[in-house]
Amino acid sequence: MKHSFLLLCGLLAAGDALAQAGENGKGAIYTCTTADGRKLTSDRPIGECSSREQRVLNPDGSLRSVLPPFLSPDERAAQEIRDRKLAAERAAQQDAVRRDRNLMQRFPSEAAHRRARQSAVDDAEKAMRISERRIKDLALERKPMLDEAEFYKGKPLPAKLKQQLDANDAGVEAQQQLIENQKAELVRINSRYDAELAHLKKLWGGAPPGSLPWPTAVQ
């Protein structure tokens, strides 16, 4: 009973606000259809239609406004959650449409996509070649160190020579790691472009932007 009273009070307050907004708050006619099909009319918000939409009419029968169903705090909270979810879904859909359009603008043809892939692959392979050349240089730098170390067989190496050899070892190891990183990068590049190309082919084929799931490999 208390809950129903609170609902009616809130509905009356909403109705008062609507009435005051038009033609000095006079002459509003409220009409609604109950759940069992009865059509009700009143000069005040209708308590029996607290959970249903009510049309607010002017004296001449024209529509002034629509009074939405009055929601309880729990119902309002649930509605807000639904509204936020719908807003997030709309935003995600808009992002998907924009992302697909940008992708198609960037790659209007398979040839353009192929050129972009080759450019990315070339950069990774260039970095690998630089590391390979550096390893060769380090091997040349190491040779005189090893020749000098021959004089100390069975003896501790001089501190300076040992530091040079250790630094050379660390340099080689670092370049080898860079090469492994670039090999992994090549795999990632090709996986990304493969997935992107499959996505683009569907878009080029007429799939509406935003209608396809975005490839995981491209993210």
Side-chain angles (χ1 to χ4, degrees), residues 2 59 66 76 102 113 144 152 186 198 213:
K2 182 178 179 181
V66 175
R76 188 180 301 110
N102 289 342
H113 190 262
Y152 300 97
L186 279 172

Side-chain angles (χ1 to χ4, degrees), residues 7 14 27 41 51 59 64 68 82 96 115-116 139 180-181 187 191 211:
L7 287 176
T41 302
S51 62
R64 177 182 297 187
R82 288 192 294 270
R115 287 193 296 271
E180 292 303 312
N181 291 346
V187 172
S191 295
S211 65

Side-chain angles (χ1 to χ4, degrees), residues 15-31 41-45 55-62 64-65:
D16 288 342
L18 285 171
Q20 291 171 6
E23 298 185 0
N24 298 322
K26 297 180 180 179
I29 302 170
Y30 295 80
T31 179
T41 302
S42 175
D43 60 353
R44 303 287 290 174
R55 292 164 60 84
V56 185
L57 307 178
N58 292 310
D60 62 1
S62 61
R64 177 182 297 187
S65 61

Side-chain angles (χ1 to χ4, degrees), residues 24-138:
N24 298 322
K26 297 180 180 179
I29 302 170
Y30 295 80
T31 179
C32 68
T33 302
T34 63
D36 58 6
R38 291 179 297 123
K39 186 172 182 180
L40 302 180
T41 302
S42 175
D43 60 353
R44 303 287 290 174
I46 303 168
E48 290 180 75
C49 289
S50 61
S51 62
R52 306 179 70 80
E53 181 181 277
Q54 299 186 46
R55 292 164 60 84
V56 185
L57 307 178
N58 292 310
D60 62 1
S62 61
L63 181 65
R64 177 182 297 187
S65 61
V66 175
L67 185 65
F70 181 76
L71 302 178
S72 69
D74 288 344
E75 290 170 335
R76 188 180 301 110
Q79 182 63 49
E80 289 174 355
I81 291 173
R82 288 192 294 270
D83 290 345
R84 285 196 296 270
K85 182 180 178 182
L86 288 173
E89 290 173 351
R90 284 194 297 270
Q93 178 62 19
Q94 290 169 354
D95 286 343
V97 170
R98 181 167 52 251
R99 186 169 50 193
D100 280 350
R101 286 175 176 168
N102 289 342
L103 190 65
M104 293 177 71
Q105 185 175 11
R106 182 183 176 195
F107 302 118
S109 67
E110 188 168 349
H113 190 262
R114 185 167 52 250
R115 287 193 296 271
R117 181 201 293 258
Q118 191 57 54
S119 177
V121 166
D122 288 346
D123 288 343
E125 290 179 341
K126 180 180 178 181
M128 288 176 62
R129 289 193 296 271
I130 291 173
S131 291
E132 289 166 352
R133 285 198 299 270
R134 181 56 184 153
I135 288 175
K136 290 179 180 179
D137 291 342
L138 288 168

